[in-house]
Amino acid sequence: MSEETHRALVHSSFSSPATAQRIPKPKSTPGSALVRVLLANVLPYARIVYNGTRGAPMPLPLVIGLSAIGRIESVGSDATVVAPGQLVWVDPFIHARDDPSTTFLFGYREGHTEGSRKLMREAWRDATFAEFAKVPLESCYIINERRLLGTPADGGLGYRLEDLAYLMNHVVPYAGLRDMSVQAGDTVLIAPATGTFSGGAVQVAVAMGAKVIAAGRNLETLKALAGRSNRIEIAHLGCDDMEADLRILKGFGRIDAYLDLSPPTAAKSTHIESCLMALKQYGKVSFMGGIREHVKLPYFPIMLRSIRLHGRFMYERDHLEGMIKLYEGGLLPLGTAGGYKESAKFALEEWTEACVHAEETAGWNSQVLLDPWKKAKDIKSESS
């Protein structure tokens, strides 16, 4: 095949799945890097994003994608640190250089302003579900291969490449925890705590030195979480009786902070009110969930007890750098040592199967990845 082309997953219509196509290969220019994509994350709700159900606006056609791990193929003339051959994590949360408040999610969702729409449509339209991706230089986070992938005998942690793909699941809740200035010894309530990001939040809070109360309705998953650390306790909530759930939560004593990662379907659940009411005086809350409806909040108790409310979408650069330090310090075990399952990998041609598998296996310790260099028959023969 021509070196001027590459394979990519092109999304052309909300009424049909994206397809693997051969298209012109991008080139690095000033301010960018060309990354050879090795693995890219598929979220559990990818199918409903790209069929339009979730209401994520994006220009069509485009090469879809999200976070990824890859090697730098080439860089623009202004690169001073990022260099060819380096292993990097590609950050999909892109900011405008002349206005950091203008953001969008690479290959996933354009923002809500004219600036963010312009950025996605005209500058960074094609993302990481491809053999190669042109990305902003500042979206490339260099991975310390010797430390993270090296053997223990050489001072490494012995992780596999796929283990590092969990970074997206961890840095998102890490930002919410940092917003609340969570310190070692604090007690953090995480509700719900059994999803992709919320379960990840439990692991991150423990890595930060906190004691965690993992709350939710799925008792078996909560028990599995609790088995990961003696600093994780579980609260089995009904989420339909505020007073009953509040009594359960108050039984844990002082609660310093509450991280909420509720899904869109939880708008009518009573757990938000009960969790807020369980906080100590001067407690802190971070809302990071996907609820789009209005939610009932206990206004007077919030005011009377000086509860501080935060909203947080995604993360900032210093959050990513801090999360990577936790990885490098060995404070958040990955792979089988951290209780994570074997990652499921799919070829670009298996996009539909990847989406279905991501939906069916969603959880804090499982992930689905696209490997652009795999052929569908290779993956099937490996799993047979």
Side-chain angles (χ1 to χ4, degrees):
M1 293 293 182
S2 169
E3 293 184 359
E4 298 302 315
T5 63
H6 73 136
R7 291 165 53 251
L9 201 56
V10 179
H11 184 44
S12 301
S13 170
F14 290 115
S15 61
S16 58
T19 57
Q21 301 178 22
R22 187 160 286 278
I23 63 173
K25 179 181 173 181
K27 297 179 180 180
S28 57
T29 56
S32 74
L34 182 65
V35 175
R36 179 186 174 96
V37 179
L38 302 177
L39 296 170
N41 296 81
V42 179
L43 290 177
Y45 38 84
R47 183 184 62 84
I48 61 173
V49 167
Y50 294 115
N51 70 13
T53 302
R54 199 174 175 95
M58 66 188 75
L60 300 177
L62 82 164
V63 176
I64 55 179
L66 201 63
S67 54
I69 295 174
R71 286 204 181 274
I72 299 295
E73 186 84 358
S74 63
V75 295
S77 58
D78 57 340
T80 59
V81 176
V82 179
Q86 289 173 333
L87 188 67
V88 297
W89 187 79
V90 177
D91 177 14
F93 189 41
I94 296 178
H95 296 66
R97 289 166 179 155
D98 56 351
D99 179 12
S101 67
T102 295
T103 63
F104 76 97
L105 282 169
F106 200 27
Y108 181 85
R109 180 192 184 101
E110 65 183 13
H112 299 286
T113 67
E114 282 302 315
S116 64
R117 286 188 282 269
K118 173 183 172 66
L119 205 59
M120 185 174 188
R121 294 176 183 182
E122 299 179 19
W124 308 106
R125 191 182 188 97
D126 293 337
T128 56
F129 290 172
E131 292 177 335
F132 295 93
K134 177 183 176 181
V135 305
L137 275 175
E138 61 270 28
S139 292
C140 298
Y141 287 77
I142 301 168
I143 291 173
N144 184 337
E145 290 189 67
R146 182 175 180 181
R147 174 59 176 161
L148 293 172
L149 303 178
T151 64
D154 293 327
L157 294 167
Y159 296 143
R160 298 168 299 175
L161 197 63
E162 64 195 62
D163 298 331
L164 306 183
Y166 277 100
L167 184 56
M168 171 63 82
N169 298 5
H170 293 147
V171 70
V172 170
Y174 178 69
L177 293 166
R178 281 273 301 271
D179 282 345
M180 297 186 291
S181 302
V182 169
Q183 304 291 323
D186 283 351
T187 297
V188 180
L189 170 61
I190 298 173
T194 56
T196 298
F197 291 101
S198 56
V202 174
Q203 313 305 313
V204 174
V206 169
M208 296 170 69
K211 172 186 172 184
V212 177
I213 301 168
R217 293 184 297 180
N218 190 325
L219 183 58
E220 291 306 311
T221 305
L222 290 173
K223 287 180 178 178
L225 270 173
R228 301 310 312 162
S229 170
N230 59 11
R231 283 188 281 116
I232 301 174
E233 296 185 88
I234 61 173
H236 187 211
L237 306 181
C239 299
D240 57 2
D241 185 332
M242 195 281 290
E243 293 293 343
D245 288 347
L246 180 58
R247 285 193 293 272
I248 293 172
L249 294 173
K250 285 195 170 182
F252 291 96
R254 188 196 74 190
I255 299 176
D256 300 287
Y258 159 42
L259 178 62
D260 181 90
L261 289 139
S262 296
T265 54
K268 305 302 181 185
S269 171
T270 60
H271 78 277
I272 296 175
E273 185 175 4
S274 57
C275 290
L276 279 165
M277 293 292 291
L279 284 170
K280 70 166 191 175
Q281 187 84 7
Y282 303 110
K284 291 164 280 190
V285 182
S286 181
F287 289 122
M288 297 194 73
I291 297 175
R292 301 189 181 191
E293 300 176 46
H294 287 232
V295 174
K296 178 184 176 183
L297 297 178
Y299 182 99
F300 190 70
I302 289 172
M303 179 279 297
L304 193 64
R305 293 157 59 199
S306 301
I307 302 297
R308 283 165 280 181
L309 303 178
H310 299 262
R312 163 61 65 179
F313 176 65
M314 300 301 286
Y315 45 80
E316 304 300 334
R317 187 173 187 87
D318 67 313
H319 297 137
L320 254 172
E321 292 171 344
M323 191 65 242
I324 291 171
K325 287 179 181 178
L326 286 180
Y327 275 19
E328 292 177 346
L331 297 172
L332 200 163
L334 300 172
T336 54
Y340 294 89
K341 300 176 183 176
E342 189 75 18
S343 300
K345 304 186 191 75
F346 292 84
L348 296 178
E349 291 81 2
E350 296 183 310
W351 169 241
T352 299
E353 293 93 326
C355 289
V356 172
H357 193 77
E359 285 183 346
E360 293 177 346
T361 61
W364 68 270
N365 62 347
S366 64
Q367 65 177 349
V368 172
L369 303 169
L370 283 186
D371 180 347
W373 301 94
K374 285 270 192 178
K375 301 297 183 184
K377 62 179 180 180
D378 297 333
I379 296 176
K380 290 175 182 174
S381 65
E382 287 179 1
S383 60
S384 62

